Amino acid sequence: MIFMERVTGMQFSWLEGVNKKWKDILVIGKTIERDGKKYHIIGMTMEEAAKLYIIEPYEERKRHNPKKKRTQRMILKEQEIESTSYLHCREFKIGNKKLCSQGGCGGVLMPENYEEVKLFLDMIDAGWKIPDWLKNEDWERLQLVTLNIANLKRLPKYSSDMPITIKHDSGFGRHFLNRAKSITLEIGKSLSFQFTAHDGEKVQCYINNVMLIDVWEDAKKQFDDIKYRERFTEEQLQEMKSHYYEALIQSCPKGMCYIGIEYELSRDINLQFYAKDYLESYPKTHSGSAAFLMMRLKPDKKTGVHGLPLKGYVIDTPFTSDTTAISAELLFYMEKTEAWEECI
């Protein structure tokens, strides 16, 4: 005997969103190979606005055993900072036609997402040939990026011999040191050391000054500043102060201080220092709202005593106001990646 199970939660209005009728559809069908990975520009559609579709590799982040505690060091090393997704590209040029991206969205492919299935079927009907390398790829290893194209009244003309140029935005790459550099920071004292960058270059670092930062006093000066007060109404100021101090109570209780570092480098990168005790600790659960602060230190001078650009960094771990020295670690550094063009 066959039993039929009744499916609930379905409405005919849902079909209207799935069964789209495009004003125009354009097949591109171009595969890109970069850094050992393959990407595929499917094509474009036009409804009220134009959209561009790209299939990309999808790598699921490692799932962690919730019962296993992870230190702050482990969490930092697991975080991803650099993305190779075309979601962050600002301009595509097909032949002589420039397409400007206004952002978009991306997500892993799922068979139950009928809008995506319908899109692929419509692209096939319009002449899309699924490349051989893509035919047997598991959907759970792929994601679809959908880009919104600004101010386009009609889709561009395209033929397979037309060049496509893609502009990638500038960003930051994170590089962990092969061996984290342990140092002792003394308040009011200077320090110099070397470390090896990810490409083998020896980098010289001069720490010119280490200081205690009373973030509560700094906040008071900022909110009392006449120029600052002229920018906001009293009501806006009170609301900003309320949110700021709520976050400050959680991150740096009154009477505690952060550590500020002014340094020079022989290479144009930004160092990320951490207190050793913090790296070896486990995350704490804060009560109340999940507010947080990001502190920056901007030196008064552009150039340090060694004739190199002067930079600042704040170790946002609270210390008592009588602290004279701390054990710290240079864990990784950030290096700017320039905007670049890709021609396919």
Side-chain angles (χ1 to χ4, degrees):
M1 186 178 291
I2 299 174
F3 292 92
M4 298 185 67
E5 185 177 352
R6 183 171 181 265
V7 179
T8 59
M10 185 71 76
Q11 296 176 342
F12 277 99
S13 60
W14 173 82
L15 295 174
E16 294 175 340
V18 175
N19 192 32
K20 292 178 180 177
K21 300 294 184 184
W22 312 109
K23 289 182 181 178
D24 198 3
I25 188 166
L26 170 68
V27 172
I28 295 175
K30 197 88 169 180
T31 293
I32 305 165
E33 293 191 41
R34 176 161 55 86
D35 299 330
K37 297 179 181 180
K38 290 185 178 181
Y39 307 79
H40 186 76
I41 304 176
I42 306 171
M44 299 181 67
T45 61
M46 173 75 81
E47 276 189 287
E48 298 303 319
K51 296 182 185 295
L52 175 68
Y53 305 95
I54 303 174
I55 291 177
E56 300 184 346
Y58 174 79
E59 296 177 3
E60 187 177 12
R61 291 188 182 185
K62 294 179 181 178
R63 294 180 180 178
H64 303 282
N65 183 351
K67 294 181 180 179
K68 184 180 179 181
K69 294 180 71 178
R70 287 145 55 228
T71 63
Q72 297 286 7
R73 186 196 307 276
M74 293 167 67
I75 293 170
L76 282 167
K77 286 192 172 183
E78 290 160 6
Q79 291 174 351
E80 296 177 4
I81 189 77
E82 191 172 17
S83 175
T84 56
S85 174
Y86 286 90
L87 186 61
H88 306 288
C89 295
R90 66 174 183 266
E91 184 182 300
F92 292 75
K93 195 173 181 182
I94 299 177
N96 294 321
K97 184 66 176 179
K98 186 167 71 173
L99 310 175
C100 296
S101 170
Q102 280 190 327
C105 61
V108 63
L109 289 177
M110 294 183 292
E112 58 270 27
N113 189 331
Y114 295 109
E115 289 191 43
E116 291 179 350
V117 174
K118 179 66 164 51
L119 169 69
F120 299 147
L121 291 174
D122 287 347
M123 283 289 177
I124 290 173
D125 287 343
W128 178 44
K129 304 294 183 185
I130 303 173
D132 290 340
W133 69 267
L134 187 59
K135 286 182 178 179
N136 297 315
E137 283 288 317
D138 290 333
W139 277 29
E140 63 183 14
R141 297 175 59 188
L142 300 169
Q143 67 177 356
L144 179 68
V145 165
T146 302
L147 293 170
N148 303 315
I149 305 301
N151 304 320
L152 197 65
K153 294 181 179 179
R154 60 178 63 90
L155 297 183
K157 301 291 183 182
Y158 175 75
S159 61
S160 59
D161 59 342
M162 277 187 179
I164 297 177
T165 304
I166 304 171
K167 284 191 176 182
H168 294 258
D169 274 338
S170 61
F172 285 92
R174 182 170 67 167
H175 301 286
F176 281 91
L177 272 63
N178 289 330
R179 294 182 63 184
K181 185 73 177 182
S182 296
I183 55 175
T184 298
L185 296 174
E186 296 183 77
I187 306 302
K189 300 287 182 69
S190 60
L191 172 70
S192 67
F193 62 89
Q194 273 193 346
F195 65 90
T196 304
H198 70 285
D199 55 7
E201 180 187 348
K202 296 290 184 182
V203 180
Q204 181 67 46
C205 176
Y206 302 99
I207 294 180
N208 296 341
N209 192 19
V210 180
M211 66 202 84
L212 290 168
I213 299 175
D214 186 338
V215 288
W216 286 84
E217 182 61 28
D218 283 1
K220 184 178 184 304
K221 289 179 181 177
Q222 179 177 313
F223 287 121
D224 288 343
D225 189 286
I226 294 176
K227 292 181 181 178
Y228 194 79
R229 298 182 72 88
E230 287 175 349
R231 293 170 55 193
F232 305 99
T233 66
E234 187 61 32
E235 185 179 353
Q236 288 174 325
L237 273 174
Q238 290 304 319
E239 185 177 357
M240 290 168 62
K241 288 170 71 172
S242 175
H243 289 308
Y244 189 91
Y245 285 127
E246 181 183 359
L248 204 53
I249 288 169
Q250 293 185 21
S251 58
C252 187
K254 203 163 189 177
M256 305 290 278
C257 297
Y258 284 159
I259 301 289
I261 305 169
E262 289 187 347
Y263 66 93
E264 297 175 68
L265 280 176
S266 60
R267 179 166 171 160
D268 187 17
I269 54 179
N270 296 309
L271 305 184
Q272 305 285 311
F273 295 95
Y274 293 90
K276 208 156 214 177
D277 288 345
Y278 169 80
L279 291 174
E280 294 167 358
S281 68
Y282 297 96
K284 295 179 181 178
T285 302
H286 291 288
S287 59
S289 64
F292 69 94
L293 298 174
M294 183 177 289
M295 295 290 177
R296 292 186 176 90
L297 176 62
K298 187 176 181 180
D300 295 330
K301 299 178 181 178
K302 290 184 177 181
T303 306
V305 294
H306 300 90
L308 299 169
L310 190 59
K311 303 187 178 189
Y313 186 77
V314 176
I315 297 180
D316 55 0
T317 300
F319 294 91
T320 58
S321 57
D322 60 352
T323 297
T324 58
I326 68 162
S327 294
E329 198 171 289
L330 171 58
L331 187 62
F332 62 90
Y333 62 87
M334 305 292 292
E335 187 164 35
K336 187 175 181 180
T337 57
E338 299 297 329
W340 61 286
E341 284 191 357
E342 181 179 25
C343 297
I344 58 175

